Amino acid sequence: MIKHSLFEHSGFARKSLYIVLLALGGCTSEDKVRSEAQAFLDQYTTEYVKRYTASSEAQWSANTRIVAGDSTNAKAVEKTGQAFADFTGSDENIEKAQSFLDKKDKLTDLQVRQLQKIMYIAANNPVTITDVVKKRIKAENAQVERLYGFDFKIDGKTVSTNQIDDILKNESRLDHRLKAWNASKEVGKTLKGGLTELRDLRNQTVQALGFKDYFGYQVSDYGMESDQMIALIKKINNQLRPLYRELHTYARYELAKRYGVKEVPDYIPAHWLPNRWGQDWSSIVSVKGMNTDSVLKTKPAEWIVKDAEALYQSLGYPALPSAFWQKSSLYPLAPGTAYKKNNHASAWHMDLQNDVRSLMSVEPNAEWYETANHELGHIYYYMTYTNKDVPPLLREGANRAFHEAMGSLMGLASQQKPYLESKGIIPKGTSTDQIQGLLKEALNYVVFIPFSAGTMTEFEKQLYADKLPQNQYNKAWWELSRKYQGIIAPQQRGEEYCDAATKTHINDDPAQYYDYALSFVILFQLHDHIAKKILHQDPHATNYYGNKEVGKFLQGIMRQGATKDWDSILKEETGSGLSAKPMVDYFEPLLKWLKQQNKGRKYTLSESI
């Protein structure tokens, strides 16, 4: 079945035609090069999919069944990861791909893109430095085991990360909040040495094929240089800085009032916030009439995911395959289970074909309701670009940010008042305060930008490109947190800690967190287009449900995968290149309101970065 699918979309018919032309002596040199290149791509793709699938299965097991002291999964991940690396980084494949790229003027654009992807993947696994690649794979697996197998404790009692998050969202006693926040950071101590080892190994790996460092390697997937990416995210930060500065000032004063602190601090102590990294403050605000938890908590967890599927189906997408429900890990493990799982939500395209899965720990609440809608955005993206016109090597988002944008877009759509009313999650005709609703959204979307495009991106640039010394990790992390987010540690945090490494992406999804910042910009561009050009509704009050034109628009983007330049897709579909203006415009009414609320208050953040 896989073979048939691969030949069907790989241009097998075209290749056969080329062979006939060759036999007849009527083939041009261009035809000959294209035929040879396609033969190589077909052969490479078949083996690539086979090894990719084996590696995915091993990683899935390692993330869904973590047993302390059991190295079975780690060995499987290492073995399959090494097999994948041996193939993708082989001298033969690199040389062949490069030889065809040297004649790219005679190839189709689709062939060139696939060959460039082969070279990009190879740079992470070059066989010329096999020992380094093996060490990196082993170090990555060990780091993941330390991270996801960690036993979090408060007052000596084991707690889950979900329980820590609940405390940070709901607890009003600062001493209890501090205990939970401190507990969440203990894992960093076990990860610091491993992070340094990974930094060095990742840099060495990509340097073998000419990249300066791992940060630059990751950025290159956008067709950009590191300094171009840094300039782009700085521009986005500065476009949203006036609004973030107002939000920061407002939050300082409101939180001080909530916790009974008379002297308002210049910077927000990290344990005051409802998120372990200060990346989402939305639970600070409760919007009257929009308390979806009161209804959602009465539902079974299974309903949360099925309801998300129903939104996509209403737009014209198919039902999720039965294998999705059979193979995914969607809910928390039962108390007393002899193993752990990774509780970080993620979506998996196991075989680049039809095996799609999600890893979540869904509970019936507002946060997981939005998350389920988000994660299915990834799943439906996988399903949509799995078609005969998109070769497996290009079955990914137009860029990495597009994937996140699609998920976040549907997360936003699932939180809009008219949609929630239509689903019966809030009563129809519910009276709500639009400004409070915007404030809650801004404390999610806008607050995230300084973290993603600031603290995280700058830290990883310093880590990989500037070779930040290990004895300065925590100092650098908190300096960046203060500069971009206006957040400080609750107490002195020495270099025995590694608070950056408590964020999962630092360890196992490295040097690409700017994807999420760019995804929010794209998200608001897409939402603005849908609201104004398709639905003809106020962008603040939309209901996507049942609109097949919305589905057609989204599927038109998804179906292309990475077969075209990402910026051209954005321009073709929305009429504009990447721009934060729709996001700024969306929150304009809130900015005016915040300025009134903050009159006479002290501003402590700089006006620009």
Side-chain angles (χ1 to χ4, degrees):
M1 183 175 179
I2 291 176
K3 268 188 182 177
H4 172 72
S5 176
L6 290 174
F7 279 125
E8 182 179 56
H9 64 238
S10 66
F12 181 61
R14 288 198 310 277
K15 184 173 68 175
S16 299
L17 176 60
Y18 293 146
I19 292 170
V20 171
L21 287 170
L22 278 167
L24 294 174
C27 180
T28 66
S29 62
E30 184 177 86
D31 290 332
K32 185 174 185 294
V33 171
R34 287 185 180 183
S35 177
E36 291 172 349
Q38 194 59 53
F40 167 66
L41 288 170
D42 290 344
Q43 182 182 27
Y44 178 96
T45 299
T46 300
E47 188 63 25
Y48 176 86
V49 170
K50 176 183 173 183
R51 299 195 187 207
Y52 177 96
T53 304
S55 178
S56 296
E57 288 286 4
Q59 290 180 45
W60 177 261
S61 296
N63 277 271
T64 56
R65 190 179 181 85
I66 303 168
V67 180
D70 186 348
S71 62
T72 304
N73 282 335
K75 288 178 180 177
V77 169
E78 188 174 339
K79 180 180 178 181
T80 57
Q82 189 60 58
F84 179 80
D86 289 344
F87 173 72
T88 57
S90 75
D91 280 341
E92 182 183 2
N93 284 329
I94 292 171
E95 288 169 7
K96 282 187 177 180
Q98 188 57 59
S99 70
F100 286 120
L101 283 172
D102 290 340
K103 307 168 192 172
K104 66 180 180 181
D105 58 318
K106 295 182 178 181
L107 303 176
T108 66
D109 182 63
L110 201 61
Q111 288 175 326
V112 171
R113 287 182 180 277
Q114 290 176 84
L115 291 165
Q116 288 173 336
K117 179 55 66 174
I118 288 172
M119 293 299 291
Y120 178 79
I121 297 167
N124 205 30
N125 306 301
V127 76
T128 51
I129 50 167
T130 302
D131 289 345
V132 173
V133 175
K134 285 181 178 179
K135 286 178 184 176
R136 191 205 74 222
I137 292 170
K138 187 172 183 178
E140 285 172 338
N141 296 336
Q143 190 81 336
V144 167
E145 292 229 321
R146 283 189 288 266
L147 175 62
Y148 297 129
F150 188 77
D151 187 15
F152 292 91
K153 292 185 177 182
I154 297 178
D155 292 331
K157 181 182 177 183
T158 295
V159 294
S160 68
T161 51
N162 276 357
Q163 288 173 310
I164 290 173
D165 291 341
D166 284 342
I167 293 170
L168 293 178
K169 282 173 194 164
N170 303 311
E171 181 58 66
S172 59
R173 295 166 293 182
L174 284 176
D175 58 335
H176 284 61
R177 297 183 64 84
L178 182 58
K179 280 184 181 180
W181 187 88
N182 280 334
S184 77
K185 302 301 173 186
E186 283 297 303
V187 65
K189 294 178 180 177
T190 73
L191 300 169
K192 191 167 192 175
L195 180 59
T196 301
E197 182 183 14
L198 283 173
R199 182 267 308 278
D200 295 340
L201 292 170
R202 285 166 177 160
N203 274 349
Q204 289 175 47
T205 300
V206 299
Q207 284 165 352
L209 281 190
F211 290 93
K212 291 180 181 178
D213 53 75
Y214 196 76
F215 186 85
Y217 164 72
Q218 291 284 50
V219 168
S220 74
D221 202 31
Y222 282 79
M224 300 170 72
E225 300 287 340
S226 293
D227 58 349
Q228 292 175 309
M229 179 60 75
I230 293 297
L232 177 60
I233 62 168
K234 183 178 180 181
K235 179 182 177 182
I236 292 169
N237 255 313
N238 280 326
Q239 283 180 294
L240 290 161
R241 189 69 168 184
L243 178 54
Y244 183 74
R245 192 165 176 258
E246 296 292 341
L247 289 167
H248 180 266
T249 302
Y250 179 82
R252 282 170 41 235
Y253 281 83
E254 294 302 312
L255 289 173
K257 192 187 305 179
R258 176 177 299 184
Y259 299 132
V261 177
K262 291 183 179 179
E263 188 174 342
V264 179
D266 285 350
Y267 300 94
I268 303 174
H271 71 302
W272 283 26
L273 295 166
N275 174 273
R276 283 175 268 165
W277 305 280
Q279 69 183 64
D280 179 357
W281 309 351
S282 57
S283 61
I284 289 174
V285 174
S286 241
V287 182
K288 187 177 178 182
M290 292 288 284
N291 179 19
T292 56
D293 273 334
S294 61
V295 171
L296 293 174
K297 70 182 180 183
T298 68
K299 307 284 188 181
E302 293 79 5
W303 182 91
I304 300 292
V305 188
K306 291 297 291 184
D307 189 70
E309 179 192 29
L311 171 56
Y312 290 90
Q313 286 185 273
S314 81
L315 301 179
Y317 288 93
L320 292 168
S322 57
F324 171 85
W325 302 104
Q326 295 163 5
K327 296 182 177 182
S328 291
S329 177
L330 300 172
Y331 312 107
L333 296 174
T337 301
Y339 58 89
K340 295 178 181 287
K341 64 181 274 190
N342 174 1
N343 289 304
H344 183 79
S346 57
W348 299 57
H349 198 183
M350 300 296 295
D351 59 355
L352 300 177
Q353 299 286 340
N354 302 311
D355 188 350
V356 292
R357 305 178 196 176
S358 182
L359 172 57
M360 295 191 277
S361 290
V362 177
E363 295 182 293
N365 59 42
E367 182 176 357
W368 277 110
Y369 185 73
E370 180 178 0
T371 298
N373 278 276
H374 176 116
E375 292 305 321
L376 291 197
H378 294 301
I379 296 296
Y380 277 104
Y381 209 155
Y382 298 150
M383 291 168 62
T384 306
Y385 58 53
T386 299
N387 65 69
K388 65 183 179 61
D389 297 320
V390 182
L393 289 171
L394 301 179
R395 287 181 182 171
E396 55 188 23
N399 63 29
R400 294 191 304 257
F402 261 83
H403 238 299
E404 286 306 317
M406 286 298 182
S408 297
L409 174 67
M410 300 308 287
L412 173 68
S414 73
Q415 299 301 301
Q416 297 263 296
K417 181 187 168 189
Y419 174 73
L420 292 170
E421 286 179 336
S422 75
K423 301 292 287 186
I425 295 172
I426 61 173
K428 287 187 177 179
T430 297
S431 176
T432 58
D433 186 326
Q434 185 190 27
I435 290 296
Q436 286 298 300
L438 276 176
L439 177 59
K440 189 174 183 69
E441 288 180 327
L443 291 173
N444 176 4
Y445 296 106
V446 179
V447 159
F448 183 73
I449 297 297
F451 175 71
S452 56
T455 304
M456 282 287 287
T457 297
E458 280 284 353
F459 179 82
E460 292 198 290
K461 177 187 175 294
Q462 289 183 22
L463 181 68
Y464 290 100
D466 305 333
K467 297 179 183 174
L468 182 68
Q470 181 175 314
N471 63 3
Q472 295 178 26
Y473 286 0
N474 233 36
K475 178 175 179 286
W477 177 258
W478 287 107
E479 283 177 351
L480 292 168
S481 181
R482 177 173 171 164
K483 173 184 175 181
Y484 284 99
Q485 299 172 268
I487 297 172
I488 57 173
Q491 52 208 185
Q492 185 63 37
R493 304 284 295 176
E495 289 300 330
E496 68 271 26
Y497 298 100
C498 188
D499 295 327
T502 67
K503 185 66 179 170
T504 178
H505 302 72
I506 293 283
N507 304 284
D508 63 5
D509 201 9
Q512 53 183 325
Y513 207 78
Y514 46 81
D515 290 355
Y516 296 95
L518 297 177
S519 77
F520 276 12
V521 174
I522 296 170
L523 142 68
F524 279 95
Q525 279 189 259
L526 298 179
H527 178 68
D528 187 73
H529 180 87
I530 289 169
K532 294 176 180 176
K533 302 292 177 63
I534 301 176
L535 296 174
H536 306 290
Q537 296 172 358
D538 178 355
H540 305 101
T542 63
N543 184 0
Y544 290 16
Y545 192 86
N547 193 296
K548 297 297 191 292
E549 286 301 310
V550 172
K552 185 179 177 182
F553 170 72
L554 295 176
Q555 289 178 58
I557 296 173
M558 291 181 171
R559 190 173 291 110
Q560 300 179 69
T563 59
K564 293 173 67 175
D565 177 68
W566 65 270
D567 200 42
S568 68
I569 290 177
L570 193 60
K571 286 175 183 174
E572 287 170 11
E573 299 296 336
T574 69
S576 170
L578 187 71
S579 171
K581 187 177 185 300
M583 188 173 183
V584 172
D585 290 348
Y586 185 89
F587 291 107
E588 180 62 28
L590 176 65
L591 180 62
K592 294 176 182 176
W593 181 84
L594 284 169
K595 286 181 177 179
Q596 289 295 319
Q597 301 302 306
N598 288 333
K599 274 187 176 178
R601 290 175 171 176
K602 179 183 177 183
Y603 290 85
T604 54
L605 283 189
S606 62
E607 293 185 9
S608 63
I609 298 298

